Amino acid sequence: MNKYIAESFGTFWLVLGGCGSAVLAAGFPDVGIGLLGVALAFGLTVMTMAFAIGHISGCHLNPAVTIGLWAGGRFEAKHVGPYIVSQVIGGLIAATVLYFIAKGQAGFDVAASGFAANGFGEHSPGQYSMTAALISEVVMTMMFLIIIMGATDERAPQGFAPIAIGLGLTLIHLISIPVTNTSVNPARSTAVAVYVGDWATSQLWLFWVAPIVGAIIGAVAYRSLFSAKQA
């Protein structure tokens, strides 16, 4: 149970820190943190939680990561479902906290703001197509799993995995925020889509399917090509 609670707390921090930076601070007049700041915020949430709860739950914070690690032989199937439920719950609680903070600003409208939701087509920050969004999310999540599995490999330098994983997520956001607002995490996407509704929930399927497919590809590729027995 401690593992599941840790996953909820960790995903809470990821959504509050990452999406919160986008909603509250990215476009703030004159001193907003911008795209670079949001990308760094997402990376910092994962890095700080990896140090804080990595020894408890492994710090997945992401259904795609959990499924990918199972596919890569690093995680037991019996924990996959409870981990995903815990992550989604943590994300939803964070989105609720963020919503009540954001609505304290005069004139705030959750739908008009976008609330850091992921989207494609007219709802993509750069107006990218569904196909571009699908490719981006699959490839970015694939690379994320390769980074995670490599950094946590027993042959890797010990103690540095949180830094590599956090910086990896930062880089992923720097590349793909203009395409989809960057998901690579179904729990993160679901948490804010619930509050936006409408287009965000209708497009949410892509931000479950693509990250999960990408995670499985990345994990299986690492296990097949770079596992210890291949060394």
Side-chain angles (χ1 to χ4, degrees), residues 144-196:
F144 193 38
L145 262 291
I146 290 174
I147 291 167
I148 290 170
M149 292 193 67
T152 56
D153 194 301
E154 62 183 9
R155 297 164 295 165
Q158 298 300 299
F160 294 99
I163 298 172
I165 295 167
L167 289 177
L169 188 60
T170 298
L171 177 57
I172 286 167
H173 279 77
L174 288 173
I175 297 167
S176 60
I177 285 177
V179 184
T180 62
N181 232 6
T182 308
S183 171
V184 302
N185 185 337
R188 166 261 189 272
S189 297
T190 301
V192 291
V194 166
Y195 279 90
V196 177

Side-chain angles (χ1 to χ4, degrees), residues 13-58:
W13 187 232
L14 182 146
V15 172
L16 186 62
C19 296
S21 70
V23 172
L24 305 176
F28 196 77
D30 302 324
V31 294
I33 62 175
L35 184 153
L36 177 60
V38 173
L40 185 59
F42 272 101
L44 287 173
T45 62
V46 169
M47 184 175 73
T48 52
M49 278 295 109
F51 279 116
I53 66 168
H55 55 287
I56 300 171
S57 69

Side-chain angles (χ1 to χ4, degrees), residues 70-95:
W70 163 76
R74 298 276 191 91
F75 195 64
E76 292 183 272
K78 66 180 181 180
H79 294 303
V80 170
Y83 261 53
I84 292 173
V85 171
S86 300
Q87 293 153 1
V88 171
I89 289 173
L92 288 170
I93 294 171

